[in-house]
Amino acid sequence: MRIFRKILLVLLFALIVIQFFRPDKNVSANQHPNAIEKHYTVPDNVNTILVKACNDCHSNNTKYPWYFNVQPVAWWLNDHVVDGKHDLNFDEFATYSLRKQYKRMDDVIELVKENEMPLESYTWLHNDAKLTATEKEAIVQWANTIRDTMQARYPIDSLVKKK
């Protein structure tokens, strides 16, 4: 029983100590000249969907819940944000090559259609981020519109790799 008590004390101490090691927050008050909406049309209904279901992980401005202040939860959340921004950052969209922009819109279409985005682990705690069929269709149509716009502006070989 003594060893069990010592283990609990060590774990409690470790839990207290890790509270002092926090990841930086993903919050930027800066203007985002490379944001997708500065270069492509984002209808109001799509913007609403992006804000509620995508931007926490795919932009430079995450709205953090209260439990972000508890470690190790904050590290786990931070990993999701870092991974999400690595895959697609709507605030940095115009910095991507044309090919990557085009591919990211393909990815948006595929992931939304296959119910892989938003992540299930995100929608557990953000129930309002679950997309309805209408919202999914709006996102897919919007991404297709961006792809069509790109095809009209640029030669196709600048958008897709030759096979």
Side-chain angles (χ1 to χ4, degrees):
M1 201 59 148
R2 254 180 183 207
I3 189 79
F4 181 70
R5 191 177 212 176
K6 285 183 182 182
I7 291 171
L8 279 178
L9 284 173
V10 167
L11 287 175
L12 180 62
F13 178 75
L15 191 59
I16 291 169
V17 168
I18 67 172
Q19 300 310 307
F20 295 100
F21 299 95
R22 299 171 184 260
D24 292 334
K25 287 188 172 183
N26 178 46
V27 178
S28 171
N30 298 335
Q31 295 294 321
H32 303 289
N34 295 310
I36 195 166
E37 67 270 8
K38 304 278 187 190
H39 300 273
Y40 299 99
T41 302
V42 180
D44 289 341
N45 66 324
V46 171
N47 189 56
T48 300
I49 298 165
L50 294 177
V51 167
K52 80 171 190 166
C54 308
N55 284 354
D56 278 348
C57 294
H58 297 286
S59 78
N60 290 334
N61 287 300
T62 301
K63 292 179 184 153
Y64 288 97
W66 66 268
Y67 48 85
F68 181 79
N69 295 313
V70 179
Q71 300 301 349
V73 175
W75 295 331
W76 180 71
L77 290 174
N78 189 61
D79 282 345
H80 277 271
V81 171
V82 168
D83 287 347
K85 284 177 59 176
H86 178 264
D87 292 337
L88 172 62
N89 185 338
F90 288 118
D91 286 337
E92 303 297 333
F93 192 78
T95 65
Y96 300 159
S97 69
L98 292 175
R99 191 169 283 155
K100 185 173 180 178
Q101 289 178 27
Y102 192 82
K103 175 70 171 109
R104 289 302 172 256
M105 288 299 103
D106 272 345
D107 295 343
V108 166
I109 293 165
E110 179 183 343
L111 294 171
V112 168
K113 279 184 173 180
E114 294 180 6
N115 297 316
E116 292 182 31
M117 280 291 152
L119 292 176
E120 191 174 351
S121 60
Y122 183 77
T123 59
W124 288 339
L125 298 170
H126 301 87
N127 199 37
D128 63 324
K130 291 180 182 174
L131 300 179
T132 65
T134 303
E135 290 170 329
K136 289 177 190 176
E137 185 57 33
I139 292 288
V140 167
Q141 286 180 352
W142 168 70
N144 273 319
T145 299
I146 289 177
R147 290 176 66 241
D148 293 345
T149 300
M150 293 180 77
Q151 287 176 2
R153 285 185 194 166
Y154 308 109
I156 194 67
D157 61 341
S158 66
L159 302 175
V160 294
K161 288 183 181 178
K162 293 181 182 178
K163 293 182 181 186

